[in-house]
Amino acid sequence: MHNDLAEKFGIRYPIFAFTPSEHVAAAVSRAGGLGVLGCVRFNDAEELDAVLNWMDENTDGKPYGVDVVMPAKIPTEGTAVDLDKLIPAEHRAFVNRTLDELGVPPLSDDVEHNTGVLGWLHSVARAQLDVAFKHRPALIANALGSPPKDVIDEAHQHGVPVAALAGAVPHALSHVENGVDIVIAQGYEAGGHTGEIASMVLVPEIVDAVDDSASVLAAGGIGSGRQVAAAMALGAQGVWMGSYWLTAAEYRLGSAEKGTSATQRALLAATSSDTVRSRIYSGKPARLLKTKWTEAWSKPGAPEALPMPLQNILVAEAHQRIVAAENPDVVAMPAGQIVGRMNEIRPVADSMADLVAEFEATVARMNKLGG
């Protein structure tokens, strides 16, 4: 599996693992891939700095990356308080009524209420990058496509390549024109923000379109060595995997710190049919685990989702209450269709070893077809 892209990053396998968990990201890097830490959950630069210090100390000197959420065009934005005033009262009433109907209790008085993930804001994402550049990221990735040109230039000045997600060929070509080094061709099957073209169609389209001007990672529907081999057969130089790591033993976010969380139990029980693409998580189309929470938003009379970042601010406390409720039937979690293969809690090292072994077995089997 080792190739030129892996050599460029100083990793054994071109497996790039997006995760909000520093413990999972570090474990992937130690196991020979590139763990990429999602930074959107960090509202405070000091908290991110502390986590990246931990990454520096717990990756055995292996490279890692960071992922931010930053639109190419700098938006007009206000403070969290200003934005809060833009949320309609009927939307708030719907959220509270739905939580009551689903049996999700209010937060206790001693819990600080979440006011929203400010990492969706452009200014916060820039602050996150300022922190990241003080550490040793091997990659800066952007979940909303190409970051602004000056951000790409700054990354290059630090010797750090930039990756950007693309759901269609025009997006990929725009990213390359802006100076992006790696295009992540993310198909419809993927969890989180995703487009409308399936991976089997999208990956070779983007590979052909960008040619030698950028490396291409395949994303969406990848959760086995066979699928890694298929992605590379389509022309990708590596893979970008996200949902797959949500059931890693090292995943400790939320109530998973106490053992298997309600979200992980829901993921383990889900099939590949149990996801839905919706704007209710962030304001942009994102694939989520299908639960009673997502179903409530699709019923007649439910309001339309608000634009980013207002939707996230609207549902921030709801997500906090849902996590505290520990009910697997009512969770709010981005997840791809690969969730149907996520059937057990496993250490990252074991999962990586299986990916590599199955990849090698698949390539050997395909080689026999050539006679």
Side-chain angles (χ1 to χ4, degrees):
M1 192 188 291
H2 190 80
N3 59 8
D4 290 344
L5 185 63
E7 187 72 26
K8 175 181 177 180
F9 280 92
I11 57 181
R12 293 179 64 189
Y13 315 116
I15 296 174
F16 294 68
F18 166 77
T19 173
S21 165
E22 66 270 26
H23 297 279
V24 174
V28 170
S29 290
R30 292 194 303 268
L34 189 83
V36 182
L37 178 68
C39 295
V40 73
R41 70 183 176 93
F42 297 101
N43 291 346
D44 182 75
E46 291 184 1
E47 183 185 5
L48 175 60
D49 188 47
V51 167
L52 292 182
N53 279 332
W54 185 92
M55 291 281 292
D56 290 336
E57 296 168 359
N58 289 275
T59 46
D60 295 343
K62 304 291 177 61
Y64 65 85
V66 297
D67 177 278
V68 297
V69 177
M70 178 181 286
K73 295 181 179 179
I74 302 175
T76 301
E77 61 181 50
T79 64
V81 174
D82 294 334
L83 293 170
D84 193 66
K85 295 177 181 177
L86 298 177
I87 296 175
E90 57 267 29
H91 279 69
R92 293 193 185 281
F94 170 80
V95 168
N96 290 328
R97 183 172 64 252
T98 299
L99 292 174
D100 289 342
E101 292 172 354
L102 295 178
V104 178
L107 296 172
S108 60
D109 294 337
D110 60 343
V111 174
E112 182 178 354
H113 291 212
N114 193 342
T115 57
V117 179
L118 300 183
W120 299 115
L121 300 181
H122 182 90
S123 58
V124 175
R126 280 190 176 261
Q128 292 168 346
L129 288 175
D130 290 341
V131 170
F133 288 134
K134 296 176 183 178
H135 294 267
R136 52 175 184 86
L139 178 71
I140 297 294
N142 185 30
L144 290 184
S146 174
K149 184 68 168 61
D150 67 293
V151 172
I152 297 174
D153 292 342
E154 183 180 4
H156 289 165
Q157 289 169 7
H158 285 85
V160 181
V162 176
L165 272 69
V169 166
H171 303 159
L173 293 176
S174 176
H175 298 348
V176 171
E177 184 178 351
N178 286 340
V180 164
D181 306 283
I182 298 176
V183 175
I184 303 167
Q186 177 155 291
Y188 177 78
E189 306 96 321
H193 298 119
T194 192
E196 299 179 346
I197 304 174
S199 298
M200 183 67 77
V201 175
L202 180 68
V203 173
E205 281 190 346
I206 287 182
V207 168
D208 291 347
V210 305
D211 199 20
D212 294 330
S213 57
S215 299
V216 176
L217 299 179
I222 300 173
S224 71
R226 281 174 289 168
Q227 289 159 326
V228 175
M232 297 181 77
L234 293 173
Q237 285 83 49
V239 295
W240 175 273
M241 301 170 65
S243 301
Y244 184 74
W245 310 106
L246 292 172
T247 52
E250 291 86 351
Y251 194 92
R252 304 175 187 174
L253 295 178
S255 57
E257 294 181 2
K258 308 168 188 174
T260 305
S261 68
T263 298
Q264 287 179 319
R265 294 198 299 274
L267 292 166
L268 293 172
T271 72
S272 56
S273 299
D274 294 325
T275 68
V276 61
R277 190 165 170 268
S278 171
R279 293 175 54 241
I280 67 169
Y281 192 81
S282 69
K284 288 185 176 292
R287 185 170 298 284
L288 311 172
L289 194 64
K290 187 188 299 182
T291 68
K292 292 180 179 179
W293 170 249
T294 61
E295 289 171 352
W297 283 86
S298 64
K299 291 180 178 179
E304 291 291 323
L306 300 172
M308 180 185 283
L310 298 181
Q311 180 68 17
N312 180 263
I313 294 173
L314 168 66
V315 299
E317 186 177 320
H319 290 173
Q320 189 178 13
R321 288 172 59 179
I322 286 170
V323 170
E326 274 288 284
N327 182 352
D329 294 329
V330 187
V331 299
M333 189 67 185
Q337 292 178 333
I338 200 62
V339 69
R341 296 187 63 89
M342 296 158 51
N343 300 319
E344 60 179 322
I345 303 295
R346 305 185 66 207
V348 164
D350 291 353
S351 295
M352 284 287 288
D354 282 356
L355 288 172
V356 174
E358 189 175 67
F359 170 89
E360 293 174 346
T362 301
V363 172
R365 184 173 68 252
M366 296 302 292
N367 285 338
K368 291 181 180 177
L369 297 179

